[in-house]
């Protein structure tokens, strides 16, 4: 990852963080990655609400960037596609690790800002 890609990922992360309640950093990782049951559910819902603002094309680009074996139907909405990605990564630890470590081969294959932000969250959760 190059500095400009990281800057874009950090901007996306900033948008997500601003949509969440103001809180101490101690519980941030678990809040962003799906809080355990003892954590307040509002924090996780805020993160999901922020992610749900992206459109279907953004989420389809995430699937292509990470080569996820997910089928997107024409009638699927943005939140349907987001849900498929989140569910797939939640149920497949090896894939979640692969996505967190994935690097692109060349600048022409540069991941989208949303993909970079998701990868940043996976690496720092």
């Amino acid at each position: 990852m190059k500095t400009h890609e990281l800057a874009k990922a950090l901007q996306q992360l900033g948008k997500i963080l601003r949509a969440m309640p103001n809180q101490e950093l101690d519980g941030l990782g678990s809040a962003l990655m799906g809080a355990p049951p003892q954590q307040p559910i509002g924090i996780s819902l805020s993160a999901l609400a922020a992610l749900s603002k992206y459109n279907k094309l953004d989420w389809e680009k995430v699937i292509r960037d990470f080569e996820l074996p997910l089928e997107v139907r024409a009638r699927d909405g943005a939140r349907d596609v987001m849900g498929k990605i989140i569910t797939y990564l939640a149920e497949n630890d090896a894939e979640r690790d692969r996505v967190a470590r994935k690097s692109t081969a060349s600048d022409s294959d540069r991941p989208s800002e949303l993909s970079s932000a998701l990868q940043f969250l996976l690496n720092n959760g």
Side-chain angles (χ1 to χ4, degrees), residues 38-56:
Q38 67 268 20
Q39 294 288 331
I41 194 162
I43 295 169
S44 297
L45 290 176
S46 295
L48 284 176
L51 289 173
S52 72
K53 294 178 182 175
Y54 289 93
N55 66 39
K56 182 179 178 178

Side-chain angles (χ1 to χ4, degrees), residues 4 8 17-18 27-29 31-32 34 36-37 41-43 53 81 92 95 105 113 120:
H4 289 187
K8 288 178 182 178
L17 291 174
R18 280 190 296 277
L28 182 62
L32 290 172
I41 194 162
I43 295 169
K53 294 178 182 175
V81 179
N92 296 285
E95 279 294 284
E113 291 179 17
F120 180 83

Side-chain angles (χ1 to χ4, degrees), residues 68-70 84-99 122:
L68 300 175
L70 299 173
K84 287 180 182 186
I85 293 170
I86 291 172
T87 300
Y88 179 75
L89 293 175
E91 294 174 350
N92 296 285
D93 292 339
E95 279 294 284
R96 192 169 51 245
D97 291 340
R98 181 188 67 82
V99 167
L122 288 171

Side-chain angles (χ1 to χ4, degrees), residues 18-40:
R18 280 190 296 277
M20 295 174 62
N22 194 14
Q23 65 178 29
E24 293 297 323
L25 292 176
D26 295 344
L28 182 62
S30 62
L32 290 172
M33 298 313 298
Q38 67 268 20
Q39 294 288 331

Side-chain angles (χ1 to χ4, degrees), residues 97-117:
D97 291 340
R98 181 188 67 82
V99 167
R101 290 189 316 268
K102 184 174 184 346
S103 62
T104 55
S106 69
D107 285 340
S108 64
D109 295 335
R110 198 172 342 165
S112 69
E113 291 179 17
L114 179 57
S115 294
S116 296

